[in-house]
Amino acid sequence: MPPLHSLCLPPNPSLPKSTPITPSSSSSSSSSSTLFTKPTKIPLQVQTLPLPDQNLPLQFKEKILCLEIMGVDSGKALSHNPSLQTASLHSIHSVISYLQSKGIRQKDLPRIFGMCPTILTSDIKLHLSPVFRFLSHDLHVPETNFRRPINKCPKLLVSSVRDQLKPALLYLQGLGIKDMEALAYHDPVLLVSNVERTLIPKLECLVSFGFSHEEAVEMVVRCPGLFTFSVERNFKPKFGYFVGEMGASVEELKGFPQYFGFSLEKRIVPRHRELVERGLKVPLPLMLKSTDEEFRELLENGGLKVG
């Protein structure tokens, strides 16, 4: 088996000078002890990491050190993925090597494994390979671009293609969402969203606001990001302010569903109140999409006088 640091970091002759760290030589596992037949050099930035409890088995300590070297919180990873306790360093190395063969970079791993530690013990043939085939065949993502959707949504790697990804894709396509590039690179989180528990209730929420089913579908097709917003924290408070405080028509909202993407506290409320104080009115897209400088100019030029 290769040295410990090679399981986590690619060879890098430019690494700063480091001092060898040699774990306890007592171990009942001959396979793990061969990792330290010679002193293993650990990068300088890792030398300050606290060493694992000396009472732990050598293989377990090596595993913890491997995770920390990658920048992964070992305690959190082990807590969220108990299977790591019995996984071999070789199997972890295989997963890392496989992901890197798909274009995932070393610097991406801490975030990916930090968000989804179960990836570290995934079966490459049964779990990981089908996801990359799905990206290639169903979303038409070139192999050179695999990194983009994975970094955008690491949960793709722990989602079943048969039970989750394909059903979500079929539902979204059935609504009329056809831009696979946008889905892969901008909204891949929709593919890991449960159709019955997440996507359909959000569409029904829009219908409850007074839109017809067809109008609600048209809104999410035009702005798929609507499916990423919370019903309780986004849709309801923003719609309530829209009809209650702004006294606006749902027709205006139908033409600008992007409204739900702006912050209620930081953009919608303060700009609306400033317009009201000055007795001005502007179209909803202009009110929200303009930069702070453009909005100031709009106020100075008088906007559209009310009455």
Side-chain angles (χ1 to χ4, degrees), residues 35-56:
L35 287 170
F36 293 99
T37 302
K38 295 182 180 180
T40 302
K41 289 188 177 182
I42 306 298
L44 185 62
Q45 62 268 35
V46 179
Q47 293 180 25
T48 57
L49 290 173
L51 290 175
D53 188 332
Q54 296 303 310
N55 294 322
L56 294 174

Side-chain angles (χ1 to χ4, degrees), residues 17-50:
K17 185 177 180 181
S18 59
T19 57
I21 295 179
T22 308
S24 170
S25 59
S26 60
S27 171
S28 59
S29 172
S30 59
S31 61
S32 62
S33 62
T34 57
L35 287 170
F36 293 99
T37 302
K38 295 182 180 180
T40 302
K41 289 188 177 182
I42 306 298
L44 185 62
Q45 62 268 35
V46 179
Q47 293 180 25
T48 57
L49 290 173

Side-chain angles (χ1 to χ4, degrees), residues 84-227:
L84 271 172
Q85 297 181 32
T86 55
S88 68
L89 277 172
H90 177 73
S91 66
I92 294 174
H93 174 53
S94 297
V95 169
I96 294 172
S97 297
Y98 178 76
L99 294 179
Q100 290 180 326
S101 75
K102 296 299 182 181
I104 308 303
R105 299 177 185 174
Q106 181 70 38
K107 64 181 182 180
D108 303 327
L109 298 179
R111 179 175 177 274
I112 290 174
F113 293 147
M115 292 181 67
C116 300
T118 51
I119 297 172
L120 285 160
T121 53
S122 293
D123 185 291
I124 293 175
K125 183 177 180 180
L126 296 179
H127 303 144
L128 299 181
S129 293
V131 173
F132 286 101
R133 284 198 298 270
F134 172 79
L135 291 176
S136 177
H137 298 158
D138 295 85
L139 295 184
H140 313 298
V141 176
E143 290 189 13
T144 52
N145 283 350
F146 281 157
R147 179 173 177 254
R148 289 181 61 188
I150 296 302
N151 270 334
K152 186 76 173 179
C153 183
K155 196 176 178 182
L156 286 167
L157 292 175
V158 292
S159 298
S160 166
V161 172
R162 185 191 66 183
D163 300 330
Q164 175 58 54
L165 301 181
K166 283 199 173 182
L169 178 60
L170 290 174
Y171 174 75
L172 295 169
Q173 288 177 322
L175 292 178
I177 297 176
K178 303 300 182 185
D179 190 343
M180 295 299 99
E181 182 175 337
L183 189 58
Y185 301 143
H186 300 292
D187 299 305
V189 67
L190 299 185
L191 297 168
V192 301
S193 301
N194 186 275
V195 174
E196 290 77 17
R197 294 194 302 270
T198 304
L199 300 181
I200 292 178
K202 290 180 180 180
L203 190 65
E204 292 176 342
C205 179
L206 292 175
V207 173
S208 73
F209 291 158
F211 302 106
S212 68
H213 178 78
E214 291 73 19
E215 289 170 339
V217 168
E218 184 180 343
M219 289 171 68
V220 297
V221 169
R222 181 176 177 181
C223 186
L226 289 176
F227 274 136

Side-chain angles (χ1 to χ4, degrees), residues 238 241-242 246 252-253 256-273 275 282-295 298:
K238 289 181 181 177
Y241 187 84
F242 184 77
M246 297 175 65
E252 187 176 6
L253 192 57
F256 188 63
Q258 294 91 334
Y259 164 83
F260 290 103
F262 293 92
S263 169
L264 185 61
E265 296 78 12
K266 297 180 180 179
R267 180 68 69 103
I268 298 173
V269 171
R271 289 196 174 185
H272 171 250
R273 287 179 176 173
L275 288 169
V282 299
L284 191 61
L286 187 58
M287 166 185 155
L288 297 176
K289 292 175 68 175
S290 58
T291 64
D292 290 341
E293 183 179 352
E294 291 169 341
F295 187 69
L298 190 66

